[in-house]
Each structure stands twice: as structure tokens, then as C-alpha cells.
């Protein structure tokens, strides 16, 4: 029996997540994503670490709100998504 690539991928992902903690698996990606905001708010690296983290957190929240607004706007204009 042949499986579609998407079925094989789902089986692989489920197996991976059944063996390891999901947060552990995605930790490097989450660190990299947050580092983008740290670089954005402090490109020269001159801010104290606690201030850089505070500002990066705010920048990340703003990014997520913009993303949510774009998603809502797209759903408003797509009758299939209602």
C-alpha cells in the first residue's frame, strides 16, 4: 500500500511528538524568532539585557497583532472562510 507524502509526513510528525516534548523540539526555532525582534529593537546591541527583552517582547506582540489583523481582513474578503 502506498501512502501519500502528506500522510507519511503526518505519521512522522505524530511519531516525533509522541517521543519528545513539543516545546523542546521547537525551542531553537522560537529562540531564533525572538532573536529577530531583539535585533530589530537593538541593532547595535547597546541596550541593557532586561530593556532589550522588554522592547523585543513588545515588538513581538505588535507583530502578532498586525498578523491577526491581516488574517481577519483576509477572512472578511473571502466568502469561503466565513
Amino acid at each position: 500500500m502506498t501512502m501519500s507524502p502528506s500522510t507519511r509526513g503526518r505519521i512522522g510528525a505524530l511519531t516525533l511528538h509522541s517521543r519528545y516534548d513539543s516545546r523542546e523540539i521547537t525551542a531553537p526555532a522560537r529562540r531564533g524568532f525572538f532573536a529577530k525582534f531583539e535585533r530589530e529593537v537593538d541593532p547595535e546591541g547597546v541596550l541593557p539585557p532586561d530593556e532589550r527583552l522588554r522592547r523585543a517582547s513588545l515588538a513581538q506582540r505588535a507583530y502578532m497583532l498586525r498578523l491577526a489583523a491581516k488574517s481577519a481582513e483576509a477572512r472578511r474578503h473571502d466568502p469561503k472562510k466565513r
Side-chain angles (χ1 to χ4, degrees), residues 17-33:
H17 289 282
S18 74
R19 294 180 181 162
Y20 303 98
D21 177 23
S22 295
R23 298 212 33 103
E24 191 179 302
I25 294 167
T26 60
R30 284 184 284 110
R31 277 193 303 271
F33 184 62

Side-chain angles (χ1 to χ4, degrees), residues 9-79:
R10 287 183 66 200
I11 290 170
L14 291 169
T15 302
L16 177 71
H17 289 282
S18 74
R19 294 180 181 162
Y20 303 98
D21 177 23
S22 295
R23 298 212 33 103
E24 191 179 302
I25 294 167
T26 60
R30 284 184 284 110
R31 277 193 303 271
F33 184 62
F34 192 74
K36 167 188 173 287
F37 298 106
E38 288 184 299
R39 287 189 305 273
E40 183 181 290
V41 300
D42 188 19
E44 304 299 319
V46 296
L47 291 173
D50 59 333
E51 181 63 13
R52 184 175 49 251
L53 289 174
R54 186 186 74 78
R55 291 183 187 191
S57 178
L58 294 170
Q60 184 181 33
R61 287 175 60 194
Y63 173 85
M64 293 300 184
L65 283 172
R66 282 191 298 272
L67 202 60
K70 285 181 182 181
S71 175
E73 182 67 18
R75 285 192 310 275
R76 248 191 309 280
H77 294 294
D78 187 352

